[in-house]
Structure formats: structure tokens, C-alpha cells
Amino acid sequence: MAPENEFSPEFLKTAEERLDVKIKRVEVDTTKLTAMLASGTAPDLVRGLGAVETPYIVGRDLALPLDDYFAKSELLKEDDIDPVNDVWRYDGSVQGQGPRYGMAKDYSQDAMFWYNTALFDAAGVAHPSETEPVTYDQWLEMGKELTQKDGDTTTVYGLSAGGLGLFISLANMTASAGGSLLSEDLGTVDFSSPEGQKALQWFLDYARAKVGFSPVEPNPDGWDWPPYQTGRLAQSWSGYWFGGAIAAEAGLAETSRLAPAPTMGGERISPCFGATGYWIPKASKHQDEAWQVFEWFMGGDPAKERAAGGWGMPSLLSLRADLPVGTPAQEQALAAVEAESDYFKVLSFSPYVKVEALDAVLNQYLPDAINEDVSAGALADTLNTDMQALLDDGKELVL
């Protein structure tokens, strides 16, 4: 189960010839996956987001532990696997520990952000440091100073802080403030803590300032690249992977830089929100063949080609030598990521609910909260009630 841009017909033909297996691709679809797992026709390899899905697929006994396969692998050696892949581990209590259930095809530390120095210079705003993080408050102030309007029309957005999802972004902010949205047993959510309140208030301030995209001012392009490419966005909350697009634009590559993850006053952290990769269902009828494809895709020629493209950090440390450094943006971004690696931290997600369900709750209540000046405390109470109901329902299926 994979998108065509990762397993094209031409790529499948190469894989079949190289591995001597027959491969059929089905499009990534959560509803279809659920139906296939329930009907006994599970896919043999499934694309997923390790950072937010690993506890869920393990808690429901869907994923095959892969430690025995990794132990025998000639391509995927334990001491060569980037620590970011710990998001694909779960011991039943703590994400980041226990067996490996998958691996990222590539990754970024997604709380970092790209910025266009030309727009900073035009607005007379000092560039953020390439080594020391700005605070979230400083980041928002820069966004305000960089935003340009023509009447009621925004011509340049100063900051896009949507990240790769609302809940995981708020969880990161809360952790950066020194707290956690989820309890130690991952079964309770709490936006009412001082740290959770700080994260909520910041996002409300950001959305009300109208300096970037939010639930009340959605991005019509669907993602940050079109406005960033055309000079309508000064800062994008996107990790290293965004540089793959930037590198194709010579002028933009000259003026783009990657900055450390902002901090909210507590521990300096720089997590991964996605770690997009693959896992093998326990119900697969072809587990050994699935591993063949998995191993080659993650550690063979496809992995080397992905690294050379610069659309993500490779999951194998040995492939970092293949990363592109042909433009100033590529060279600077790689140096920034290498410095940032010291601050990587696994943010444990819950086994009881999918992140999409929590994002749906946020999207339901945030617009009114933003437009009607609802307090962070009142919003927290509503979010706690609805999200806790989802977690409690999930517990009945896992415990």
C-alpha cells in the first residue's frame, strides 16, 4: 500500500526484476486498509507515519515486530540506523523503546523552519540565527514584521505555522515548554496544564494576528511550497525535506536558509513529526517477501537515490555522504540539521486514537475560538472533553 510517486509502474518493474517477486500496488487509503485487515486480505507492506502511528498499530496488534529481520540484514545494520527511527519502536508503554515495527524511508526534524533572506532584507528584519533557536514569541514577532498587506489582501505572509498537523505541533510546543499533552500512560490528554495553555495561547495569538495560514485562513494551495516559491511566504514551518523543492529554484536556493526549531522556554527539543516509512502487517501472507522489498527500498539503491535528491535525511547514517551540497541552501541546511541532531527527542503518541481524529477536534473548535476571542482556558476544557472521549473509546479496543 503505497503512493504511485514512490512505487511507480517503472519502479515496480525494476523491483520485481531485482528481487524476483511479483508486486501489486494499491493506493494509500485508511478506510481501504481497515477493510483489508478486517477481511483477511491485508497488504504485505504499508506506508505510515512512524511518529504518530507506531503505538496505534502495535496496540491493536496489527504490526509485525521486525527485530529478527533487522538482526540478519546485510543492508540495515543496527549501528547504521539513525536514532530518529526510534519513533518506529514501542514496548507497549513507551514509544522509542522496544521492538522495531518499521522504518522511515527518510525524515526531517520537522519543527525547524525555512526562511527567505530576501524577504527579511526587504522588510528590514534581522535574520534568525542559524545555530541558536528563537523563542516562539520572537518567531511570531518576526512574522508580524514580515507580513505585507494591500488593503485587506495579504501579499506576503510572514509565517506559516501549520506544520504537519495541529495536534502534533501543539504537542511539540507543550514539550518545548517543559510539559506534555499526554499523560505518562498515554491515556489522558490535558491542555489545561500551564505548558499546554502556553502552547494553545501562542497558536491563538498567531491565528488572530493573521500573519499566516490557520483554520480561519486556510492555505488555498494546500501546502507551503507554492506561496514560498513565489515570494508570498517568508517563513515555512517545514523541515529539511522542503529543501528538495527549493534546490530546483536557483534564485530561491541563494536566499533560503534553515533555522533551528523554536523554543517555548523549557527544554530545547527538535522532534520528528512524521518519519514516513513502511511497516509489515502481522496478517501479511508474504512476510519474507515483504521484508525483501522493505530491506531493498530502505537500504539499497532506492535509498541512495532518495538521499541524493535531498528530499529528506536518509535513515541510514552511512548515506549522509550522498546528500546534495551543490547549492548554498543545501550546504547550510545540512550543517543546520547536523547541529540540530543533538536535540532530537521522541514525542510519545497514544495507542488509543489516531492523530487525524484529534486534528478533527481541533479543526472543529479552533475557528470559533479564534474568531470569538475564546480564552485558552475555555478552549482547553472543550478539547479535553472531546479528545478524552476518543481516547476512552480507544482504550476499550486495546486494553
Side-chain angles (χ1 to χ4, degrees), residues 43-119:
D44 300 297
L45 200 58
V46 180
R47 191 181 195 264
L49 302 175
V52 292
E53 293 182 5
T54 301
Y56 186 89
I57 59 177
V58 175
R60 280 161 174 71
D61 202 29
L62 299 176
L64 180 72
L66 301 177
D67 287 38
D68 288 346
Y69 284 113
F70 275 104
K72 299 173 184 176
S73 177
E74 292 297 319
L75 292 177
L76 307 176
K77 299 291 190 180
E78 183 70 27
D79 60 359
D80 194 28
I81 297 174
D82 192 291
V84 165
N85 284 283
D86 284 352
V87 300
W88 279 101
R89 300 173 65 188
Y90 184 59
D91 65 3
S93 299
V94 179
Q95 189 173 357
Q97 300 178 13
R100 295 188 185 276
Y101 288 92
M103 186 173 178
K105 63 182 182 64
D106 45 36
Y107 75 92
S108 293
Q109 286 173 255
D110 297 301
M112 301 178 76
F113 66 94
W114 285 90
Y115 62 98
N116 186 337
T117 60
L119 293 176

Side-chain angles (χ1 to χ4, degrees), residues 116-243:
N116 186 337
T117 60
L119 293 176
F120 273 73
D121 294 343
V125 178
H127 300 180
S129 169
E130 295 183 9
T131 56
E132 296 299 319
V134 297
T135 67
Y136 277 91
D137 288 342
Q138 290 170 334
W139 196 29
L140 180 53
E141 284 306 310
M142 287 192 296
K144 292 176 181 178
E145 294 174 13
L146 291 160
T147 298
Q148 300 179 29
K149 293 184 179 291
D150 182 3
D152 293 333
T153 302
T154 303
T155 56
V156 175
Y157 287 97
L159 166 64
S160 176
L164 293 182
L166 287 171
F167 185 87
I168 193 65
S169 297
L170 290 165
N172 164 67
M173 292 181 207
T174 304
S176 180
S180 176
L181 288 183
L182 292 170
S183 58
E184 189 173 348
D185 66 1
L186 306 177
T188 302
V189 65
D190 183 16
F191 279 91
S192 300
S193 69
E195 298 84 5
Q197 290 280 283
K198 194 171 184 179
L200 267 186
Q201 187 62 60
W202 186 89
F203 191 83
L204 290 172
D205 291 343
Y206 156 78
R208 289 167 182 163
K210 296 188 180 297
V211 300
F213 309 115
S214 73
V216 296
E217 194 161 349
N219 185 345
D221 297 302
W223 67 310
D224 281 356
W225 174 241
Y228 190 86
Q229 178 191 26
T230 54
R232 294 180 288 117
L233 175 62
Q235 302 178 94
S236 173
W237 206 10
S238 302
Y240 177 86
W241 65 271
F242 203 62

Side-chain angles (χ1 to χ4, degrees), residues 8-62:
S8 66
E10 297 78 15
F11 183 81
L12 287 176
K13 183 178 179 181
T14 299
E16 289 178 334
E17 293 173 352
R18 173 71 174 79
L19 303 174
D20 194 26
V21 294
K22 181 67 177 175
I23 306 171
K24 177 184 177 181
R25 186 189 72 85
V26 294
E27 189 58 41
V28 178
D29 184 304
T30 300
T31 302
K32 186 171 185 177
L33 175 61
T34 301
M36 294 177 76
L37 291 168
S39 65
T41 57
D44 300 297
L45 200 58
V46 180
R47 191 181 195 264
L49 302 175
V52 292
E53 293 182 5
T54 301
Y56 186 89
I57 59 177
V58 175
R60 280 161 174 71
D61 202 29
L62 299 176

Side-chain angles (χ1 to χ4, degrees), residues 342-364:
D342 290 341
Y343 304 100
F344 170 72
K345 181 179 181 180
V346 175
L347 298 179
S348 288
F349 199 72
S350 177
Y352 307 121
V353 67
K354 288 189 173 183
V355 70
E356 294 88 349
L358 301 182
D359 282 342
V361 174
L362 284 161
N363 280 309
Q364 178 182 352

Side-chain angles (χ1 to χ4, degrees), residues 325-337:
V325 289
T327 70
Q330 290 171 333
E331 185 174 357
Q332 183 273 332
L334 181 56
V337 169

